[in-house]
C-alpha cells in the first residue's frame, strides 16, 4: 500500500431497498474490484431468475438467502482504490436486526454513507417511525461519526425521472432529522444519483442539469463538487490513537488447520505486533500473538483502523468469544467491568425505565444484558446539570445518570479513555430505546496465588487506583 494515499473507512446505512448494495457494488465495479467476466456472469444469473436489475448488488450479496430475499444481511470488509484514497466499506446496516453491526463495524470509521431512496413511498417508509433512516442517523451520531454523505438514490425512478422537486423535498426532510442528531446539514454533501445507471457517481449526469453540486463548510476549509467520488475524495481521515494502549474487540474467532486459533477484529487503539503477549478480557486469558494478516497479506504491525486476523498461541478457539477485548498484557490490560456509570438519553421507550430494568447493551462488538441497578439522577440534556436526584423512573426524552451491572462478563471502558469502547446503545423490543456514554467503570481485577493461579476477584474503581 503506497504511503501517498490515505486509508479511509466508511460504513453504509439506509432503509431496506434504498439501494445500498447496488451503489456499493457499482462503485466496486467502476474501480476494478471485480473483472468483466464476473459481472457478466452476475448479469446472466440475475436475468435468469427475473432480477435483471440486481447485477451490481450481487457483487456484494453473495449468499443465496441474500439474493432470494433481495437484502444484504452483512458484507465482509470490501476495499477499492481511487485516485485519492484506499477506501474500505466496513459494513452495511440493512434492517432493524442488524443495528448492532454498527457497533461492531464503526471502529475508526471516517465517514458514513446514508443512502435514501427517491422512489415514491420508499423514502417515506424509511423516514417513518417504523423505518430505519432516523435511527441510523441517531446511531451514527451516537458512535461519533462526524462526517456524513447523504445519497439520494434511485433518481431515475421519480415522477418525472430525475425530479428536482423530489430531491429538494427529500433534502429538506432529511435535514430536520440531521439537526436533531447534532449534524449540521451545511457541513454535509447531498448527492442525487442512480446507483443502477451510474448517474452522478463518477461523472456529472446529463439527466440532472438543475443540480448545482454540493458544498461543505468546515473548519479545515470549504470544499465543493458534484459527484459521489468527489465527495468521497473530500473525506478527512481520522487521527489514529496510536499512542494509547492496545484495544481490539473481537468480531469472530476461527480455528485454521496448520495455523491454530485466529481471532479477527478491528484495532481501536494502540499497535499490535507479532510476538506480543496479549490479554483477552473479560476473562483473564493470556497468549502470544504470532502472525498478523490483513487481506491475506502479512503485516509487521497493525495500527488503529486495521481489520486484521492474527494467530495466537496459548488459548483455544473455544475459550474466546465475540465481544472479548484483546489488549497488551504489559500496558494497561483490559479488564472485566463489575459495573459502570453512564449518562443516557431515553429515545422512544413506550413506558418508563425503572430500577431493575434489564435490556440488551450493545457496546463495541459485545451484546450483553445489563441491569439498571440505580437511577442516580435526572439531568438536563444540554448542560448535564442535575434536575432530580434518585428519580423513580426515566421516560422518553429524559436524560439521566445511571449505574448498570452486567449479567454476564463484559469489558467496557470510560468514554474519556477509549471513546469507541465507551459508547453504547440500549436495545429492547427490537428497537433502540436509549443511547449513552460511559462515565466511570468499576473494574473486576483478578488476584492470583504464588503459582499464578487465579483465586479471586478484586473490585476497583479506576478513579481510585
Amino acid at each position: 500500500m503506497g504511503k501517498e494515499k490515505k486509508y479511509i473507512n466508511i460504513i453504509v446505512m439506509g432503509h431496506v431497498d434504498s439501494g445500498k448494495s447496488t451503489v456499493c457494488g457499482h462503485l466496486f465495479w467502476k474501480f476494478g474490484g471485480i473483472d468483466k467476466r464476473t459481472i457478466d456472469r452476475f448479469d446472466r444469473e440475475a436475468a435468469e431468475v427475473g432480477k435483471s436489475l440486481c447485477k451490481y448488488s450481487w457483487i456484494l450479496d453473495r449468499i443465496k438467502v441474500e439474493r432470494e430475499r433481495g437484502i444484504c444481511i452483512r458484507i465482509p470488509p470490501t476495499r477499492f482504490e481511487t485516485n485519492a484514497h484506499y477506501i474500505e466499506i466496513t459494513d452495511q446496516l440493512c434492517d432493524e436486526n442488524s443495528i448492532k453491526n454498527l457497533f461492531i463495524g464503526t471502529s475508526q470509521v471516517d465517514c458514513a454513507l446514508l443512502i435514501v431512496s427517491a422512489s415514491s413511498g420508499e423514502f417515506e417508509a424509511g423516514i417513518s417511525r417504523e423505518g430505519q433512516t432516523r435511527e441510523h442517523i441517531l446511531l451514527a451520531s451516537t458512535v461519533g461519526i462526524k462526517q456524513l454523505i447523504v445519497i439520494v438514490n434511485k433518481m431515475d425512478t421519480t415522477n418525472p425521472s430525475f425530479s428536482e422537486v423530489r430531491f429538494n423535498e427529500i433534502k429538506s426532510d432529511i435535514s430536520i432529522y440531521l439537526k436533531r442528531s447534532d449534524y449540521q446539514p451545511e457541513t454535509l454533501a447531498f448527492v442525487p444519483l442512480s446507483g443502477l445507471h451510474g448517474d452522478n457517481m463518477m461523472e456529472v449526469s446529463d439527466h440532472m442539469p438543475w443540480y448545482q453540486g454540493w458544498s461543505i463548510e468546515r473548519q479545515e476549509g470549504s470544499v465543493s463538487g458534484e459527484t459521489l467520488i468527489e465527495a468521497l475524495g473530500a473525506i478527512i481521515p481520522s487521527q489514529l490513537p496510536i499512542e494509547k494502549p492496545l484495544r481490539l474487540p473481537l468480531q469472530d474467532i476461527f480455528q485454521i488447520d496448520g495455523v491454530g486459533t485466529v481471532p479477527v477484529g478491528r484495532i481501536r487503539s494502540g499497535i499490535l505486533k507479532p510476538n506480543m503477549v496479549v490479554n483477552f478480557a473479560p476473562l483473564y486469558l493470556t497468549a502470544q500473538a504470532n502472525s498478523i494478516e490483513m487481506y491475506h497479506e502479512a503485516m509487521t504491525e497493525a495500527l488503529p483502523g486495521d481489520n486484521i486476523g492474527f494467530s495466537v498461541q496459548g488459548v483455544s478457539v473455544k475459550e474466546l468469544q465475540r465481544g472479548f477485548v484483546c489488549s497488551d498484557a504489559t500496558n494497561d490490560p483490559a479488564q472485566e467491568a463489575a459495573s459502570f456509570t453512564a449518562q443516557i438519553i431515553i429515545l422512544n421507550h413506550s413506558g418508563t425505565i425503572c430500577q431493575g430494568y434489564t435490556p440488551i447493551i450493545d457496546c463495541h462488538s459485545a451484546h450483553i444484558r445489563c441491569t439498571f441497578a440505580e437511577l442516580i439522577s435526572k439531568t438536563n440534556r444540554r448542560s448535564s446539570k442535575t434536575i432530580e436526584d434518585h428519580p423513580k423512573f426515566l421516560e422518553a426524552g429524559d436524560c439521566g445518570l445511571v449505574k448498570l451491572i452486567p449479567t454476564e462478563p463484559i469489558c467496557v471502558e470510560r468514554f474519556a479513555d477509549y471513546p469507541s469502547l465507551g459508547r453504547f446503545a440500549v436495545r429492547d423490543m427490537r428497537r433502540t430505546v436509549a443511547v449513552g456514554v460511559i462515565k466511570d467503570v468499576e473494574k473486576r481485577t483478578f488476584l492470583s496465588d504464588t503459582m499464578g493461579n487465579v483465586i479471586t476477584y478484586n473490585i476497583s474503581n479506576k478513579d481510585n487506583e
Side-chain angles (χ1 to χ4, degrees):
M1 184 179 299
K3 296 182 180 295
E4 70 280 359
K5 292 187 179 181
K6 298 294 184 179
Y7 191 31
I8 299 293
N9 289 290
I10 62 176
I11 191 166
V12 183
M13 309 183 298
H15 188 68
V16 174
D17 291 332
S18 59
K20 298 178 296 296
S21 293
T22 298
V23 170
C24 295
H26 202 150
L27 272 175
F28 199 53
W29 154 247
K30 288 284 189 181
F31 286 100
I34 191 170
D35 58 75
K36 190 175 187 306
R37 175 190 293 182
T38 304
I39 193 65
D40 288 343
R41 175 167 59 85
F42 288 163
D43 195 7
R44 291 194 303 272
E45 292 174 352
E48 288 173 359
V49 295
K51 297 184 177 182
S52 57
L53 301 181
C54 295
K55 67 174 182 179
Y56 292 120
S57 65
W58 280 19
I59 294 175
L60 300 182
D61 299 345
R62 298 295 182 90
I63 62 178
K64 184 178 180 181
V65 66
E66 290 178 314
R67 294 182 173 184
E68 289 178 347
R69 295 173 59 190
I71 65 170
C72 176
I73 296 174
R74 187 180 177 194
I75 65 168
T78 304
R79 183 176 65 178
F80 61 89
E81 179 182 352
T82 72
N83 292 331
H85 301 306
Y86 292 96
I87 295 180
E88 179 176 301
I89 300 174
T90 299
D91 207 346
Q92 291 193 48
L93 300 191
C94 308
D95 58 28
E96 60 187 12
N97 295 318
S98 69
I99 292 294
K100 64 183 181 182
N101 290 348
L102 181 62
F103 288 84
I104 296 174
T106 54
S107 169
Q108 312 311 327
V109 164
D110 300 289
C111 181
L113 300 187
L114 176 64
I115 301 181
V116 297
S117 172
S119 292
S120 178
E122 291 186 359
F123 169 73
E124 287 73 17
I127 206 68
S128 70
R129 292 185 63 86
E130 300 303 318
Q132 285 89 53
T133 302
R134 282 193 284 180
E135 188 173 12
H136 288 176
I137 293 172
L138 178 61
L139 289 176
S141 175
T142 300
V143 300
I145 299 176
K146 303 298 183 183
Q147 300 178 84
L148 201 65
I149 297 173
V150 182
I151 297 174
V152 182
N153 190 30
K154 300 187 180 182
M155 288 297 297
D156 54 303
T157 66
T158 62
N159 186 19
S161 298
F162 302 99
S163 169
E164 178 182 8
V165 173
R166 179 62 167 168
F167 172 74
N168 289 333
E169 174 190 0
I170 291 173
K171 181 178 179 180
S172 177
D173 288 349
I174 285 289
S175 295
I176 294 173
Y177 297 103
L178 290 169
K179 290 178 181 178
R180 291 179 183 176
S181 298
D182 296 326
Y183 285 109
Q184 300 301 319
E186 62 271 14
T187 67
L188 309 177
F190 288 78
V191 185
L193 59 79
S194 167
L196 181 62
H197 301 290
D199 292 86
N200 275 358
M201 186 168 287
M202 295 184 65
E203 299 177 352
V204 177
S205 172
D206 294 333
H207 295 117
M208 291 175 277
W210 47 264
Y211 179 57
Q212 300 301 307
W214 50 264
S215 178
I216 300 176
E217 301 292 335
R218 58 192 182 192
Q219 292 181 346
E220 295 80 5
S222 300
V223 61
S224 60
E226 295 181 89
T227 62
L228 173 58
I229 196 60
E230 289 174 319
L232 293 174
I235 297 172
I236 300 174
S238 302
Q239 294 296 317
L240 303 181
I242 297 174
E243 73 288 350
K244 290 189 175 183
L246 176 67
R247 290 294 186 272
L248 195 171
L250 304 187
Q251 297 179 17
D252 289 296
I253 302 94
F254 300 98
Q255 179 69 39
I256 300 179
D257 293 338
V259 178
T261 303
V262 179
V264 173
R266 187 180 297 275
I267 296 181
R268 308 294 178 103
S269 64
I271 301 175
L272 179 65
K273 296 182 179 181
N275 302 319
M276 179 184 290
V277 178
V278 295
N279 172 69
F280 292 98
L283 302 185
Y284 191 78
L285 300 172
T286 58
Q288 178 175 299
N290 294 328
S291 60
I292 305 172
E293 289 190 0
M294 183 168 68
Y295 293 103
H296 307 292
E297 296 180 2
M299 306 178 69
T300 56
E301 65 176 17
L303 304 177
D306 289 344
N307 193 57
I308 62 169
F310 60 105
S311 63
V312 292
Q313 181 180 348
V315 63
S316 71
V317 67
K318 294 182 179 180
E319 294 177 284
L320 300 178
Q321 298 178 24
R322 170 183 283 187
F324 280 21
V325 177
C326 174
S327 60
D328 186 345
T330 64
N331 184 11
D332 188 25
Q335 298 171 309
E336 180 186 352
S339 67
F340 57 95
T341 303
Q343 189 89 28
I344 66 168
I345 300 173
I346 313 300
L347 303 176
N348 57 1
H349 196 275
S350 57
T352 59
I353 291 178
C354 304
Q355 183 176 324
Y357 179 54
T358 308
I360 295 286
I361 299 296
D362 289 343
C363 185
H364 56 85
S365 58
H367 313 289
I368 301 294
R369 287 194 178 275
C370 294
T371 300
F372 281 63
E374 182 181 358
L375 305 184
I376 300 172
S377 64
K378 182 187 295 186
T379 59
N380 182 281
R381 181 171 179 176
R382 297 290 181 183
S383 65
S384 296
K385 291 183 178 180
T386 299
I387 298 175
E388 179 184 353
D389 289 321
H390 304 290
K392 292 184 179 180
F393 61 87
L394 296 173
E395 57 187 350
D398 286 345
C399 179
L401 192 66
V402 300
K403 180 179 180 179
L404 296 101
I405 298 179
T407 61
E408 301 176 50
I410 188 176
C411 174
V412 297
E413 299 284 1
R414 295 197 311 172
F415 178 81
D417 298 330
Y418 301 93
S420 58
L421 277 73
R423 306 182 185 96
F424 64 91
V426 181
R427 300 278 294 171
D428 193 12
M429 301 172 289
R430 302 177 70 183
R431 301 290 295 176
T432 300
V433 299
V435 293
V437 295
I438 297 172
K439 297 293 187 179
D440 197 17
V441 182
E442 194 176 37
K443 297 294 183 71
R444 192 190 303 273
T445 57
F446 290 88
L447 299 180
S448 59
D449 59 20
T450 56
M451 300 297 292
N453 299 313
V454 175
I455 55 175
T456 186
Y457 289 108
N458 178 49
I459 296 177
S460 63
N461 187 290
K462 190 174 182 69
D463 287 342
N464 297 329
E465 292 178 351

